[in-house]
């Protein structure tokens, strides 16, 4: 049985696709069989972040409309053989996604032995976002530590509680996790950014990861390499921690305080 994880947010540009790619790679590196699906019909980016844009022949909508099989559309990652990507269509309308079609694809992935399916949701509350979360078992809500991002994510939490298959069935609800991106302890200390505790208190969610602000994210995206594979960077380490917590491991939160300056840095202002 596959576990379906939606990566979602209320606001665009907070790092959902970067997070989807990194979580998928992290789970695959731990030996899990993983598929990651781009639900952003018309504006696909996941294939770029994953570095497989030139290998897209068939897409998510092609599978739903019967133009190809799921196996034909899945792109096997060249770095991790147990990771596959299903790209979104760039040319179709968002209405091309249907609830029945999405369920058929998810059921087929489960039948093929995938342990995890990561659904990379578009921002907001439009149809693609709703379908990305509808069949989810868990949700990773990606938030920047700023008021507008937190407020918009509160709306998403309302939808997760009321507009999913689990909510409509009246049984167990979607398990929600909070992941903070572009976090800067220096800016928090200066009062320019909300703290982890601030966001946690407003949204009422446990934090599964805190991703530090870093130019590594943009560099990795431009190179078509998920940033979690950039071994040695703080961002990669933070995403690895998040993956471990998803799998139930206990990890202390890192990158939430400013590193202490050394003696000479304090003396000479370095």
């Amino acid at each position: 049985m596959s576990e379906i994880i939606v990566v979602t947010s209320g606001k665009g540009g907070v790092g959902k696709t970067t997070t989807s790619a990194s979580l998928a790679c992290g789970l695959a590196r731990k030996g899990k069989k993983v598929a990651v699906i781009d639900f952003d019909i018309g504006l696909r980016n996941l294939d770029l972040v994953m570095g497989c844009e030139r290998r897209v022949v068939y897409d998510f909508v092609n599978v739903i409309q019967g133009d190809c099989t799921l196996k034909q559309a899945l792109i096997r990652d060249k770095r991790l053989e147990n990771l596959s990507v299903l790209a979104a269509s760039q040319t179709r309308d968002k209405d091309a996604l249907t609830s029945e079609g999405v369920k058929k694809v998810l059921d087929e992935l489960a039948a093929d032995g995938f342990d995890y399916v990561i659904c990379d949701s578009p921002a907001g509350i439009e149809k693609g976002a709703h379908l990305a979360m509808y069949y989810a078992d868990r949700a990773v809500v990606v938030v920047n530590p700023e008021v507008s991002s937190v407020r918009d994510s509160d709306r998403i939490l309302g939808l997760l509680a009321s507009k999913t298959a689990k909510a409509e069935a009246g049984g167990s609800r979607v398990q929600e996790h909070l992941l903070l991106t572009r976090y800067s302890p220096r800016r928090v200390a200066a009062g320019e950014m909300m703290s982890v505790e601030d966001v946690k208190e407003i949204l009422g969610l446990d934090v599964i990861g805190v991703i530090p602000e870093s130019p590594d994210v943009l560099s990795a995206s431009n190179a078509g390499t998920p940033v979690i594979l950039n071994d040695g960077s703080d961002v990669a380490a933070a995403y690895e921690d998040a993956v471990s917590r998803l799998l139930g491991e206990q990890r202390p939160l890192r990158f939430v305080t400013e590193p202490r300056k050394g003696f000479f840095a304090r003396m000479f202002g370095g």
Side-chain angles (χ1 to χ4, degrees):
M1 189 76 176
S2 296
E3 185 164 43
I4 301 166
I5 302 175
V6 61
V7 178
T8 184
S9 74
K11 192 171 182 287
V14 297
K16 283 186 306 302
T17 299
T18 294
T19 296
S20 296
S22 289
L23 294 182
C25 288
L27 289 166
R29 287 214 292 193
K30 288 184 177 287
K32 308 300 182 183
K33 187 176 181 183
V34 184
V36 57
I37 305 176
D38 191 344
F39 275 77
D40 202 353
I41 306 301
L43 293 170
R44 78 181 189 214
N45 283 309
L46 179 64
D47 56 314
L48 291 170
V49 173
M50 294 294 298
C52 63
E53 69 277 8
R54 294 184 181 178
R55 299 168 60 206
V56 177
V57 177
Y58 295 110
D59 57 50
F60 194 8
V61 173
N62 289 139
V63 179
I64 288 175
Q65 295 187 341
D67 302 325
C68 66
T69 65
L70 178 59
K71 280 188 171 67
Q72 286 176 304
L74 284 175
I75 302 167
R76 181 76 60 86
D77 188 83
K78 290 183 175 179
R79 297 154 297 215
L80 298 159
E81 63 176 17
N82 50 337
L83 173 61
S84 297
V85 179
L86 183 55
S89 171
Q90 274 188 306
T91 58
R92 305 297 181 94
D93 189 276
K94 288 178 172 58
D95 290 332
L97 285 186
T98 64
S99 181
E100 297 77 15
V102 170
K103 186 174 190 310
K104 179 186 169 190
V105 169
L106 295 175
D107 287 347
E108 194 170 338
L109 289 168
D112 285 345
F114 282 88
D115 299 305
Y116 290 92
V117 179
I118 308 294
C119 300
D120 181 25
S121 172
I125 56 174
E126 43 139 88
K127 184 177 181 181
H130 177 245
L131 288 174
M133 72 172 65
Y134 187 72
Y135 296 104
D137 299 303
R138 300 164 83 174
V140 174
V141 182
V142 182
V143 179
N144 288 161
E146 58 182 54
V147 173
S148 62
S149 178
V150 173
R151 182 190 62 192
D152 290 348
S153 292
D154 205 25
R155 179 76 185 276
I156 293 299
L157 294 179
L159 294 176
L160 287 167
S162 61
K163 298 290 186 181
T164 63
K166 284 183 179 291
E168 291 175 3
S172 60
R173 59 181 289 165
V174 174
Q175 187 179 354
E176 300 154 347
H177 307 283
L178 176 63
L179 186 135
L180 284 167
T181 53
R182 296 178 188 157
Y183 194 80
S184 168
R186 179 186 58 77
R187 294 180 64 194
V188 170
E192 299 170 359
M193 183 177 278
M194 299 172 76
S195 71
V196 173
E197 291 304 319
D198 291 336
V199 179
K200 205 172 152 183
E201 184 178 343
I202 293 168
L203 295 179
L205 297 182
D206 286 331
V207 178
I208 201 167
V210 176
I211 312 302
E213 195 170 41
S214 170
D216 291 346
V217 175
L218 182 58
S219 299
S221 294
N222 288 339
T225 302
V227 71
I228 195 172
L229 301 180
N230 185 6
D231 293 328
S233 80
D234 286 351
V235 175
Y239 272 120
E240 285 286 359
D241 285 351
V243 169
S244 295
R245 294 187 194 102
L246 269 180
L247 293 173
E249 297 177 31
Q250 297 295 317
R251 293 278 182 104
L253 278 180
R254 295 191 280 173
F255 314 113
V256 295
T257 57
E258 275 200 275
R260 284 179 59 85
K261 289 182 177 180
F263 174 77
F264 288 106
R266 294 197 305 272
M267 287 293 293
F268 299 108

